[in-house]
């Protein structure tokens, strides 16, 4: 399975421009099975979603059309409105139009995200092309119990708008999540600036041994592709069955 990470700068509050840039980046990196975009890739991360949330479904419609066009799954998070509530919502859209949804559980209270968004109530694990995935969003990365792998998934996907002032934490925690859960970890972070923060990227794929498989260049728009070897992962788990000895739920 080939997975492409799209480390992008984001035009503030402009879904049309950002979807166009994402489309161009995908077209320049053809042939993958999955394309992963950052957190709130179509608007930039805002704790005040009124006026920029994807209430008309523009971003989701683009994801659906692009998935059908490329024959690949497209994923990332957007600010979504539903029945008067706002969610930081991760979409995984398949080529056949079927979507998996995960709403961010750990809202970033330090930045006020909890004052405007509703926290998701359910952890999600889903299957695609014979692999099992755990989707997570940014701040979720800091909570290891929430991502604890009870032999449920093979790959964890973290999409983020993680500021450069906390870059070391991002780099370290991605590696920790891969090692402790004996899984591949995909982390996709944005670059550039928004009204409050600077972002340096650090998008990468980490294998179950904690080694970097591929990584985007820090501080610039970039795209990299990794091949995920699930058979190798399962062989490792059999030889070194750490997950059998974990603490209970």
């Amino acid at each position: 399975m080939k997975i492409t990470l799209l480390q992008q700068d984001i035009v503030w509050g402009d879904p049309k421009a950002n979807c166009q840039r994402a489309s161009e980046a995908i077209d320049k990196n053809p042939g993958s099975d999955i394309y992963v975009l950052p957190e709130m890739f179509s608007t930039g991360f805002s704790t005040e979603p009124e006026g920029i949330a994807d209430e008309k479904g523009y971003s989701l419609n683009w994801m659906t059309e692009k998935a059908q066009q490329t024959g690949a799954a497209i994923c990332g998070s957007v600010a979504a409105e539903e029945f008067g509530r706002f969610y930081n919502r991760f979409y995984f859209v398949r080529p056949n139009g079927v979507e998996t949804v995960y709403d961010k559980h750990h809202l970033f209270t330090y930045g006020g995200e909890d004052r405007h968004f509703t926290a998701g109530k359910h952890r999600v694990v889903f299957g695609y092309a014979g692999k099992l995935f755990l989707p997570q969003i940014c701040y979720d990365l800091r909570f290891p119990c929430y991502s604890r792998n009870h032999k449920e998934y093979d790959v964890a996907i973290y999409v983020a708008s993680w500021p450069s002032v906390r870059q070391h934490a991002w780099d370290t925690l991605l590696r920790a999540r891969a090692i402790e859960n004996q899984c591949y970890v995909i982390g996709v972070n944005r670059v550039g600036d928004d009204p409050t923060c600077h972002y340096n990227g650090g998008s990468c794929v980490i294998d179950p041994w904690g080694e970097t498989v591929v990584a985007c260049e820090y501080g610039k728009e970039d795209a990299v592709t990794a091949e995920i070897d699930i058979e190798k992962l399962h062989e490792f788990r059999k030889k070194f069955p750490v997950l059998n000895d974990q603490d209970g739920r």
Side-chain angles (χ1 to χ4, degrees):
M1 171 176 280
K2 291 183 178 181
I3 302 177
T4 296
L5 287 57
L6 301 172
Q7 178 171 284
Q8 295 202 283
D9 195 352
I10 298 173
V11 181
W12 182 252
D14 193 338
K16 185 175 181 180
N18 290 312
C19 288
Q20 178 61 34
R21 294 174 75 166
S23 185
E24 292 171 358
I26 291 171
D27 292 345
K28 290 177 181 177
N29 296 273
S32 279
D33 301 294
I34 300 174
Y35 293 90
V36 188
L37 290 153
E39 178 184 25
M40 292 196 194
F41 73 89
S42 63
T43 59
F45 177 74
S46 175
T47 58
E48 298 181 5
E50 294 84 357
I52 70 165
D54 200 34
E55 60 212 40
K56 296 181 180 179
Y58 181 91
S59 304
L60 178 58
N61 288 338
W62 169 81
M63 295 174 81
T64 302
E65 292 173 3
K66 198 66 181 177
Q68 292 172 345
Q69 175 192 330
T70 59
I74 311 291
C75 63
S77 95
V78 303
E81 184 178 2
E82 185 176 274
F83 303 117
R85 292 178 179 270
F86 295 101
Y87 299 88
N88 188 341
R89 178 163 289 173
F90 177 102
Y91 286 111
F92 185 94
V93 183
R94 297 161 177 79
N96 63 3
V98 174
E99 62 195 50
T100 294
V101 172
Y102 163 69
D103 292 328
K104 187 177 182 180
H105 179 65
H106 295 96
L107 300 179
F108 190 48
T109 56
Y110 179 80
E113 187 179 15
D114 60 310
R115 294 197 291 269
H116 294 267
F117 285 86
T118 298
K121 296 181 179 179
H122 304 289
R123 200 177 84 150
V124 172
V125 174
F126 65 90
Y128 181 68
K131 286 77 176 172
L132 295 169
F133 294 85
L134 173 78
Q136 304 266 274
I137 301 174
C138 203
Y139 195 44
D140 286 330
L141 180 61
R142 288 186 177 270
F143 301 92
C145 291
Y146 194 65
S147 65
R148 181 67 64 222
N149 189 3
H150 299 280
K151 295 188 282 189
E152 302 157 285
Y153 66 87
D154 305 306
V155 183
I157 302 175
Y158 290 91
V159 299
S161 292
W162 194 286
S164 59
V165 294
R166 292 184 287 277
Q167 188 71 49
H168 181 65
W170 166 261
D171 297 338
T172 302
L173 292 172
L174 288 176
R175 203 170 303 279
R177 297 295 88 84
I179 294 170
E180 70 194 7
N181 291 304
Q182 281 193 315
C183 69
Y184 285 96
V185 165
I186 297 168
V188 179
N189 189 27
R190 66 161 294 181
V191 292
D193 298 277
D194 65 19
T196 59
C197 293
H198 176 70
Y199 303 90
N200 207 31
S203 304
C204 60
V205 175
I206 306 296
D207 71 17
W209 294 266
E211 301 294 336
T212 301
V213 179
V214 294
C216 291
E217 186 174 341
Y218 283 105
K220 61 174 287 186
E221 287 192 309
D222 198 8
V224 295
T225 299
E227 291 219 29
I228 300 298
D229 189 338
I230 298 301
E231 290 186 5
K232 185 177 179 181
L233 165 65
H234 291 168
E235 288 175 4
F236 175 48
R237 288 179 179 174
K238 288 180 181 179
K239 291 179 179 179
F240 189 49
V242 173
L243 298 181
N244 291 343
D245 298 325
Q246 63 182 291
D247 297 323
R249 293 175 184 265

